[in-house]
Amino acid sequence: MQSNKIFIKRLKEKTIYKKFFQPLKPDQYHYSDADDFFKYYWKEFEAYKTKEKTLNNQVPGDVFEIIIGFILDYENLEIYSMDENIKGVTYVKPDFILKNERKNIFISCKTSIRERWKQADWESMRYKKIFPDAKCFVITNHEKEAITLKGKLNDIDIDMVFYSGSSEINDFVKKLKL
């Protein structure tokens, strides 16, 4: 998508993109759906990280964000902002915001959520104070933690949780397109 070029360019500037993704050419992938794309690149990353011993703790999150960013682009979902402060919403820096005349969606990408779901929920509360009609989604790559967080949805401000390592990632994309 033309309007996403600036965000894809920023993702390509990350060190892990240059070291890991660039040779795999995600922008030339024969994309069929989010599930296939995610599983392919995450499996490749899992193999890469067993060989590359110098990776720090931030790298899996960067990889996850890059994969999700490419999925949004392949699905023709317009990214409004990425890893940026939102005017009027202090201390909140969403991974992705999708926005158009029909919807405003806050996306929090977490490889693992353990106690970080509380951060995502707090950010959702702050964001919804300014944008009360917004939908706040968490996508995570940890199945058990996703299940646990789904059980808390009635009591928190996060609207939906999706597990990226399954076909739920296709459900995530469908919800973004509604």
Side-chain angles (χ1 to χ4, degrees):
M1 173 172 264
Q2 184 67 26
S3 60
N4 288 344
K5 282 189 185 246
I6 188 170
F7 300 108
I8 296 299
K9 183 179 181 219
R10 283 179 36 207
L11 291 171
K12 287 180 174 183
E13 290 169 356
K14 292 182 181 249
T15 303
I16 192 63
Y17 184 89
K18 293 171 185 170
K19 287 183 176 181
F20 167 69
F21 283 99
Q22 200 162 14
L24 297 174
K25 302 179 181 178
D27 51 355
Q28 296 175 23
Y29 188 80
H30 295 290
Y31 187 88
S32 60
D33 67 9
D35 184 36
D36 175 66
F37 186 86
F38 183 85
K39 284 178 180 171
Y40 174 76
Y41 282 100
W42 196 259
K43 182 180 174 189
E44 290 293 322
F45 174 65
E46 290 291 328
Y48 174 82
K49 78 178 186 181
T50 61
K51 295 180 237 165
E52 190 63 45
K53 302 295 182 200
T54 61
L55 299 178
N56 66 39
N57 291 341
Q58 181 181 338
V59 172
D62 285 348
V63 169
F64 192 63
E65 187 175 90
I66 290 168
I67 294 170
I68 298 300
F70 270 90
I71 288 171
L72 296 174
D73 191 54
Y74 271 118
E75 293 289 344
N76 293 312
L77 291 160
E78 187 174 359
I79 300 168
Y80 176 76
S81 74
M82 179 180 80
D83 290 327
E84 299 172 45
N85 291 313
I86 303 299
K87 186 178 180 180
V89 187
T90 54
Y91 310 116
V92 175
K93 201 173 177 182
D95 293 311
F96 295 99
I97 295 287
L98 306 182
K99 202 178 212 182
N100 64 31
E101 64 280 346
R102 292 186 342 263
K103 63 186 172 204
N104 182 348
I105 299 175
F106 176 111
I107 301 171
S108 184
C109 302
K110 304 284 185 204
T111 53
S112 164
I113 43 181
R114 282 170 268 168
E115 293 298 312
R116 288 186 294 256
W117 69 267
K118 293 175 184 176
Q119 175 195 358
D121 187 45
W122 181 84
E123 289 178 340
S124 293
M125 285 188 286
R126 302 276 307 166
Y127 192 75
K128 286 181 175 184
K129 278 185 179 180
I130 306 301
F131 303 101
D133 293 333
K135 295 295 179 193
C136 297
F137 297 161
V138 171
I139 184 154
T140 183
N141 198 30
H142 196 284
E143 185 175 20
K144 287 180 183 175
E145 292 170 1
I147 292 166
T148 299
L149 187 54
K150 285 176 186 182
K152 297 175 182 174
L153 289 178
N154 288 334
D155 300 319
I156 61 178
D157 280 300
I158 296 167
D159 294 293
M160 297 188 90
V161 178
F162 300 90
Y163 168 53
S164 60
S166 73
S167 62
E168 273 189 33
I169 196 167
N170 289 334
D171 297 336
F172 168 70
V173 169
K174 286 177 189 169
K175 290 291 183 187
L176 296 176
K177 290 182 173 185
L178 292 178

